[in-house]
């Protein structure tokens, strides 16, 4: 029986092939992925993942948010399971690896344990969280947020996409409303492997990111109300220009984030003009400001300043201004015991590593509130993510999966 040592590794080709087979479902237009949550492609991807897991001897449970829990039994039925997962939903112009790497590496850990005939005391549960991205239905990390008690099921079911479709209706439409109460499951620990989605590991020449912390986040949705008017015949002095007010607010957000350097980011990724006609000044402009920092005081200070200054900018243009927080979590400190276990696994395997703070949000950020949690990261080319050109090497992918294998084995406790 092999024990966690430098020769205990996953099967790189099998992991890599699974990633690219799944990528054929919900392909993007430039080589990446567009498998948005609760679409027919999401349903197809779920079905393929379920088939693979059941072929690896796992049994499926699904909760009322559609999250998939695939269990490999442990030798002690009373031992709380070790959960290992991430998400299979993608951005509209996402990459092949964001989320997918973590779910399929967790499956690869189970496949490797099967190959090696290794049993563990604790069950292992490979997890696919519904709607991590928050691209179609805000907020991000929605299902894991409900699981961690941050959002009610009703709130989540009522969230609407840009076509006015409700989350609950879409989950029902694709046939993935499970019978388990969300959050009823208890965890011994939660581990998540993910691409860095930033430039640090590649720039530092490190194979493994030992994730000690995660940035906190606010998503502030602004609704500016101007006056619809003709872009040609309305004199400049008579305009109630919500579009111009939005532009000034976006500039201000940039300035606030730059003033908060180092360790802060701020920007806008989504804007909706109404009526969005070329020759009509917008009556309404809705946009979401995304600000993040690992420092709680800095994060909350940026929010306060942005909301105060946005109100002044809107008033100066005679534009109505409403703001709603549609996403939030505080900065996260992951479990020190698990962090040390990840670092030790990288050292045992001879992989270069460094401690890192996660720039992006992940389901682990919510799990960390209810169970000891940790993340492992691998580099990505040019730090690029949420872009179809997102890219990693097979070597990077499998190094992190090897570390995941060892960290999971230490946590789930080998038997025999
Ligand atoms: O927004 C995030 O950080 C994650 O990609 N959902
Ligand atoms: Mn992700
Ligand atoms: Mn993402």
């Amino acid at each position: 029986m092999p024990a966690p040592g430098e020769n205990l590794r996953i099967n790189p080709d099998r992991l890599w092939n699974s990633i690219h087979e799944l990528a054929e479902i919900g392909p993007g237009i430039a080589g990446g992925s567009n498998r948005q949550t609760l679409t027919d492609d999401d349903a197809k991807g779920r079905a393929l993942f379920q088939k693979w897991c059941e072929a690896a001897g796992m049994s499926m449970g699904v909760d009322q948010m559609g999250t998939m829990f695939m269990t490999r039994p442990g030798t002690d039925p009373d031992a709380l399971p070790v959960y290992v997962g991430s998400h299979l939903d993608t951005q509209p112009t996402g990459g092949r690896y964001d989320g997918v790497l973590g779910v399929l590496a967790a499956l690869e850990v189970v496949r490797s344990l099967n190959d090696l005939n290794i049993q563990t005391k604790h069950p292992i549960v490979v997890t696919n969280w519904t709607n991590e991205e928050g691209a179609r239905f805000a907020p991000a990390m929605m299902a894991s947020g409900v699981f961690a008690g941050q959002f009610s099921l009703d709130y989540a079911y009522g969230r609407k996409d840009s076509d006015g479709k409700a989350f609950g209706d879409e989950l029902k439409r694709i046939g993935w409303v499970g019978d388990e109460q969300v959050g009823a499951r208890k965890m011994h620990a939660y581990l998540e492997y993910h691409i860095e989605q930033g430039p640090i590991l590649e720039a530092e020449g490190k194979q493994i990111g030992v994730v000690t912390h995660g940035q906190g986040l606010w998503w502030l949705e602004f609704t500016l109300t101007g006056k619809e008017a003709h872009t040609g015949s309305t004199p400049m002095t008579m305009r109630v220009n919500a579009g111009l007010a939005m532009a000034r607010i976006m500039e201000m957000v940039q300035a606030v984030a730059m003033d908060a350097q180092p360790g802060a980011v701020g920007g806008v990724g989504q804007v909706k003009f109404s009526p969005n006609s070329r020759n009509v000044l917008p009556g309404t402009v809705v946009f979401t400001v995304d600000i993040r920092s690992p420092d709680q005081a800095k994060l909350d200070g940026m929010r306060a300043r942005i909301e105060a200054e946005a109100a002044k900018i809107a008033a100066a243009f005679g534009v109505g201004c409403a703001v709603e927080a549609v996403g939030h979590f505080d900065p996260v400190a992951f479990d020190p015991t698990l962090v040390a276990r990840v670092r030790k696994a990288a050292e045992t395997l001879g992989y270069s590593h460094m401690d890192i703070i996660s720039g992006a949000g992940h389901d682990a950020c919510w799990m960390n509130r209810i169970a000891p949690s940790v993340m492992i990261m691998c580099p990505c080319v040019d730090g690029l993510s949420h872009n179809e050109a997102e890219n990693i090497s097979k070597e990077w992918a499998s190094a992190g999966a090897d570390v995941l294998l060892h960290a999971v084995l230490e946590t789930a406790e080998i038997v025999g």
Side-chain angles (χ1 to χ4, degrees), residues 61-139:
V62 182
D63 74 10
Q64 296 158 316
M65 281 294 290
T67 294
M68 300 169 74
F69 300 102
M70 314 304 293
T71 299
R72 180 185 199 253
T75 57
D76 177 353
D78 298 328
L80 287 180
V82 173
Y83 284 70
V84 198
S86 193
H87 62 93
L88 295 179
D89 67 305
T90 76
Q91 289 286 336
T93 54
R96 294 177 168 224
Y97 308 101
D98 175 358
V100 170
L101 176 64
V103 177
L104 298 187
L107 168 59
E108 177 53 34
V109 163
V110 169
R111 284 167 163 173
S112 299
L113 295 182
N114 292 344
D115 291 347
L116 296 162
N117 194 23
I118 289 177
Q119 299 306 316
T120 56
K121 174 187 174 191
H122 296 262
I124 293 169
V125 180
V126 175
T127 305
N128 169 32
W129 295 105
T130 302
N131 190 30
E132 187 279 341
E133 290 292 0
R136 188 179 171 202
F137 303 96

Side-chain angles (χ1 to χ4, degrees), residues 295-338:
D295 179 305
Q296 184 74 58
K298 196 173 270 192
L299 179 67
D300 293 341
M302 285 201 291
R303 178 189 179 187
R305 193 176 150 198
I306 285 168
E307 291 188 351
E309 293 198 20
K312 285 183 205 152
I313 291 168
F317 284 91
V319 165
C321 179
V323 58
E324 179 192 356
V326 295
H328 170 62
F329 54 86
D330 290 337
V332 171
F334 289 114
D335 179 75
T337 303
L338 290 175

Side-chain angles (χ1 to χ4, degrees), residues 201-212:
L201 293 175
E202 185 184 43
E204 297 294 328
K206 302 296 183 188
Q207 292 166 295
I208 302 295
V210 180
V211 187
T212 58

Side-chain angles (χ1 to χ4, degrees), residues 24 33 40 54 95 130 158 170-171 206 210 234 261 286 292 333 340 343 372 380 399 408:
E24 288 168 22
S33 292
D40 293 339
E54 290 175 345
T130 302
E170 283 294 281
L171 184 66
K206 302 296 183 188
V210 180
T234 308
Q261 294 307 306
V286 181
R292 311 195 189 197
R343 196 179 294 116
C380 45
V408 167

Side-chain angles (χ1 to χ4, degrees), residues 318-404:
V319 165
C321 179
V323 58
E324 179 192 356
V326 295
H328 170 62
F329 54 86
D330 290 337
V332 171
F334 289 114
D335 179 75
T337 303
L338 290 175
V339 168
R341 202 166 280 170
V342 166
R343 196 179 294 116
K344 186 181 132 218
E347 282 159 5
T348 302
L349 289 157
Y351 292 135
S352 59
H353 60 86
M354 64 182 283
D355 288 3
I356 194 168
I357 294 171
S358 174
H362 303 283
D363 296 306
C365 297
W366 286 135
M367 287 310 103
N368 193 58
R369 288 173 173 264
I370 55 173
S373 300
V374 73
M375 292 191 75
I376 301 163
M377 285 189 171
C378 76
C380 45
V381 175
D382 298 336
L384 189 64
S385 183
H386 285 193
N387 182 308
E388 291 207 48
E390 175 186 282
N391 193 17
I392 65 172
S393 70
K394 180 166 39 169
E395 291 68 31
W396 282 344
S398 51
D402 287 336
V403 171
L404 185 67

Side-chain angles (χ1 to χ4, degrees), residues 250 267-271 287-290:
M250 286 174 77
V268 175
Q270 184 185 67
V271 177
F287 60 103
T288 302
V289 171
D290 179 329

